[in-house]
Amino acid sequence: MGSFDFDYWKHLAEHDPAAFFQARENALHQFIALHQGQEGALAELQARIDTTRVLAGSPVQACREILGLMEDQLLLLSAQLAELQRETAALRALLGGRPSC
């Protein structure tokens, strides 16, 4: 799954939409298969993206909603990182600030 050839995909979408969607599906399945141990989470994410696209009503609205999903995930990750940092600081305090091995 090397480089992305935008012109190829654009041409395919414009001239053979059915082939475009089939090629897109194949590319997504190949990408997911390359990430062993994360296939379930990636397939679930892709299903969520596909559902959002279908229900959005327009490509612009789909982009907005998918960006909103991404923002939600980044905010969640940020909160989890902050919690991890608090826990790390608490552990350091309990250990008396001793350096780790």
Side-chain angles (χ1 to χ4, degrees), residues 44-95:
E44 183 179 319
L45 175 60
Q46 187 59 51
R48 193 169 177 192
I49 290 169
D50 290 340
T51 300
T52 300
R53 287 177 62 233
V54 168
L55 297 176
S58 74
V60 171
Q61 187 60 32
C63 285
R64 286 184 182 132
E65 292 183 24
I66 291 168
L67 286 173
L69 292 174
M70 291 171 57
E71 181 181 19
D72 292 346
Q73 290 302 307
L74 288 172
L75 290 172
L76 177 61
L77 285 173
S78 177
Q80 290 172 336
L81 177 59
E83 178 63 23
L84 181 58
Q85 289 170 332
R86 284 190 294 276
E87 293 293 327
T88 301
L91 285 172
R92 281 195 185 115
L94 284 174
L95 295 172

Side-chain angles (χ1 to χ4, degrees), residues 3 21 24 75 81:
S3 63
F21 284 107
R24 176 185 172 274
L75 290 172
L81 177 59

